[in-house]
Amino acid sequence: MIEQEEKRKRGRPRKNPIEKVDQTTPPVKRGRGRPRKSESAVALTAAGDSKNKKSAQDLEYKPVNAWDNPVFTKNNIMAFSENYKIFMNKAKTEREFIKESVALAKQYKFINIDESGDKKLKPGDKVYRVLKDKLMLLAVIGKKPAEEGTRIVGAHVDSPRIDIKQNPLYESTDMVFFKTHYYGGIKKYQWLAIPLALHGLIVKADGTTVEVNIGEDENDPVFTITDLLPHLAKEQYEKKLNEAFQGEHMNVLLGSEPIEDKDAKERFKKNILNLLNEKYGIVEEDLISSELQVVPAFKARDIGIDRSMVGAYGHDDRVCAYTALMAALETENPEYTAICYLTDKEEIGSVGNTGAESRALENFIAELCFRTTDGQYNDLLVRMSLDRSKMLSADVNAAVDPNYEGTHDKMNAGYLGKGIAIMKYSGSRGKAGASDASAEYLGEIRRLFNENSIPWHITELGAVDKGGGGTIAMMIANLGVDVIDVGVPLLSMHAPYEVASKADIFAAYQGYRVFFGK
Ligand code: MN
Ligand code: MN
């Protein structure tokens, strides 16, 4: 038995358990390992015999680069990222991500649980729910009843960005601007002097809404937040970074052409209001009931001469949300009900009725318990299901950046290209605020990934006392669910353009698939 366990260690090429890994056909499961020595041969080897000594490779923990994974083919890695880039270019806000996810879910024959009356559900059925156009839950009903627990992969679909204020429009020195309030943790200087696009919606006085999307089409104008020229930045250079750039000064440049009437007041602002009225039928007060977001106008693109990485706005956390979504969409007849949970508001603390602090997951599991039992429903089933459920909190991790030495403990850090980053705990300054997964649960996930040749490595978010972070893990753990953070390592996290390895993206997708039971 021990010998079998040892042979399963990563780094040893094994028979491929994930032979076919395109997005349409589930992988074929093969034998669990290459042929081993016969049992008698093992038994004849005396304990302590030099032949029986483990090689360094067997004894030491050494994560393998995901590109070297014997069961991942380059074609599959590359092909998966092509679809990811296409999706990312259509999903730059949480609303857009959910809209695109619903379209995909329908393609995969998932039905809207809230449009299906009180239809009972049976194993293999596929359902989804959308809340407020910003949060989504998908489920594939398992063979075991929901009260025996579920398998959840949870990610968030909001990303750091610049939000437009509710009363935003003003004119200054013959130019027009939108005032902003940034959303999530950003390094403000990174958002200056780059092309920006405007996304969102405006609710008009009569209650109708108009969608806004300017800056994504090649022929659209874009926007920008200006920066100070270096020639005149002497005082700025001497300030601390967090004082040199002020949130209240991050105003988006909208225009600089006046209306013809030279005697009119605020001629430049009036011109913009006229144009907004022509295009959207809105007046200034309508902007008060709007959710407008400024996001980078860049497209997701390959990075590197070898095209091994993807650069995109919003990898955090759409890279995990997309991989979790695809894994759920492709799950067929799982043992345990498979749930993909796509939440909003993570970047500002998972608050509100579309954040992970809400009752959305509990309510969805209650609905599943109700729909899968015949008149026997009671609240205890939901409590039992939560107590027995297991979750991967699918969020990105900070990859070691050789340009910034000293921010990580290299033995416990995320790395680009080393596959899924597993994080037992997050938190900061003495693990404060961490959801600390149990050793038993970490052991279970490690075993699952090893048995399925999923490349992974163990991480913490940065060196001790260098900062820290958290995810939705703690909110779901509070419900009784076993949760561990498992996601894609990034470079330049929270920057307008973040970097992920294609091999890691593929590893996350495969990891979530095996967790759901494929
Ligand atoms: Mn995140
Ligand atoms: Mn984040």
Side-chain angles (χ1 to χ4, degrees):
M1 291 297 282
I2 292 168
E3 185 69 9
Q4 284 181 7
E5 285 295 313
E6 291 303 317
K7 286 261 182 178
R8 252 188 240 137
K9 282 202 165 180
R10 282 161 302 108
R12 288 281 193 92
R14 296 190 303 107
K15 197 74 179 166
N16 184 355
I18 306 168
E19 289 250 299
K20 183 143 173 69
V21 279
D22 65 52
Q23 290 183 41
T24 48
T25 317
V28 180
K29 187 143 186 175
R30 286 281 189 85
R32 301 189 105 195
R34 47 150 68 152
R36 285 184 282 272
K37 277 191 236 175
S38 75
E39 290 199 7
S40 59
V42 174
L44 285 170
T45 311
D49 185 319
S50 62
K51 281 181 191 165
N52 199 32
K53 286 241 170 81
K54 306 270 182 290
S55 69
Q57 193 184 23
D58 281 335
L59 285 169
E60 290 173 359
Y61 161 64
K62 211 167 187 314
V64 178
N65 193 288
W67 292 97
D68 295 329
N69 184 304
V71 306
F72 286 4
T73 69
K74 184 173 172 179
N75 279 350
N76 285 328
I77 291 173
M78 292 304 207
F80 189 82
S81 273
E82 286 309 303
N83 288 334
Y84 173 56
K85 285 183 291 179
I86 292 166
F87 192 93
M88 286 294 270
N89 289 336
K90 293 187 280 188
K92 287 194 170 181
T93 69
E94 64 279 3
R95 286 176 190 270
E96 290 170 359
F97 194 101
I98 298 303
K99 191 176 164 190
E100 294 300 321
S101 300
V102 168
L104 271 183
K106 284 179 176 165
Q107 278 178 33
Y108 280 80
K109 310 288 183 218
F110 279 65
I111 59 161
N112 186 334
I113 197 167
D114 298 310
E115 291 173 2
S116 63
D118 54 2
K119 182 177 173 287
K120 290 289 172 187
L121 298 172
K122 57 183 190 315
D125 281 353
K126 300 169 176 188
V127 292
Y128 72 89
R129 164 175 286 170
V130 172
L131 295 181
K132 320 277 179 195
D133 296 333
K134 298 175 181 182
L135 177 153
M136 187 172 183
L137 290 137
L138 301 98
V140 184
I141 306 302
K143 292 173 196 150
K144 292 181 191 290
E147 66 266 25
E148 286 196 30
T150 63
R151 295 292 177 271
I152 307 160
V153 181
H156 66 93
V157 298
D158 62 317
S159 296
R161 58 180 192 248
I162 315 280
D163 281 349
I164 303 300
K165 285 194 185 193
Q166 300 321 120
N167 184 20
L169 195 65
Y170 75 98
E171 173 181 323
S172 175
T173 55
D174 293 0
M175 289 180 284
V176 187
F177 298 88
F178 265 161
K179 293 173 79 69
T180 69
H181 194 148
Y182 61 95
Y183 174 97
I186 61 166
K187 291 168 96 174
K188 298 186 188 84
Y189 69 87
Q190 294 177 332
W191 296 72
L192 310 178
I194 60 169
L196 299 165
L198 187 67
H199 291 235
L201 61 81
I202 302 166
V203 181
K204 295 201 269 189
D206 64 1
T208 58
T209 61
V210 283
E211 270 186 45
V212 177
N213 187 319
I214 309 173
E216 298 297 341
D217 189 281
E218 283 301 304
N219 298 314
D220 280 356
V222 292
F223 308 92
T224 196
I225 300 170
T226 54
D227 196 4
L228 187 61
L229 64 169
H231 319 59
L232 300 179
K234 189 169 173 291
E235 281 178 25
Q236 189 186 42
Y237 283 152
E238 282 156 15
K239 289 181 180 165
K240 286 184 184 164
L241 196 59
N242 63 358
E243 291 163 1
F245 304 93
Q246 298 291 316
E248 204 58 71
H249 298 165
M250 296 183 69
N251 302 309
V252 177
L253 184 57
L254 286 184
S256 63
E257 183 191 352
I259 55 169
E260 278 181 22
D261 180 0
K262 293 195 176 60
D263 299 324
K265 280 188 177 170
E266 300 199 306
R267 300 166 64 212
F268 296 82
K269 176 178 165 180
K270 282 217 173 71
N271 190 41
I272 296 296
L273 278 173
N274 281 341
L275 291 168
L276 287 173
N277 186 263
E278 269 171 39
K279 189 167 168 69
Y280 299 111
I282 62 159
V283 296
E284 187 174 13
E285 191 182 300
D286 292 329
L287 292 172
I288 287 172
S289 47
S290 71
E291 281 180 14
L292 294 173
Q293 310 178 359
V294 174
V295 297
F298 320 136
K299 297 262 184 274
R301 295 180 71 156
D302 288 349
I303 287 192
I305 288 173
D306 56 8
R307 295 179 173 267
S308 60
M309 297 161 280
V310 177
Y313 160 65
H315 277 318
D316 179 5
D317 182 33
R318 294 174 192 142
V319 68
C320 296
Y322 177 78
T323 45
L325 173 71
M326 292 314 299
L329 293 178
E330 289 164 10
T331 296
E332 302 277 352
N333 300 309
E335 280 300 301
Y336 294 92
T337 295
I339 296 176
C340 175
Y341 186 22
L342 305 176
T343 71
D344 176 33
K345 298 285 184 282
E346 194 274 349
E347 297 294 357
I348 57 168
S350 295
V351 289
N353 59 7
T354 55
E357 293 256 33
S358 74
R359 306 296 286 268
L361 178 67
E362 280 174 272
N363 292 346
F364 187 64
I365 289 178
E367 183 89 33
L368 297 182
C369 288
F370 171 65
R371 299 287 190 111
T372 50
T373 48
D374 284 320
Q376 302 296 314
Y377 176 82
N378 67 60
D379 189 56
L380 192 60
L381 295 178
V382 185
R383 307 293 133 207
M384 286 161 65
S385 180
L386 287 166
D387 273 347
R388 295 165 177 176
S389 284
K390 293 173 183 185
M391 170 162 155
L392 300 182
S393 165
D395 205 346
V396 295
N397 202 292
V400 166
D401 185 337
N403 291 318
Y404 296 92
E405 287 285 343
T407 47
H408 287 80
D409 161 18
K410 287 187 174 176
M411 289 171 61
N412 292 279
Y415 288 89
L416 204 77
K418 291 208 191 302
I420 296 179
I422 300 181
M423 190 163 66
K424 186 174 182 292
Y425 48 83
S426 56
S428 59
R429 292 175 301 281
K431 299 190 180 180
S435 165
D436 196 354
S438 70
E440 291 88 342
Y441 186 47
L442 199 161
E444 187 180 325
I445 297 304
R446 174 187 149 217
R447 201 158 56 247
L448 176 77
F449 287 171
N450 282 347
E451 285 174 359
N452 289 280
S453 296
I454 306 296
W456 62 270
H457 59 304
I458 193 72
T459 69
E460 266 190 48
L461 192 70
V464 178
D465 290 342
K466 287 279 182 189
T471 66
I472 63 170
M474 65 192 92
M475 293 98 192
I476 314 303
N478 285 345
L479 302 175
V481 179
D482 268 327
V483 189
I484 191 162
D485 281 302
V486 166
V488 175
L490 295 186
L491 294 173
S492 303
M493 192 195 295
H494 283 207
Y497 215 50
E498 302 174 316
V499 180
S501 154
K502 289 184 181 177
D504 296 338
I505 297 171
F506 192 69
Y509 158 62
Q510 291 296 345
Y512 303 150
R513 288 190 72 182
V514 299
F515 179 73
F516 282 143
K518 283 189 286 195

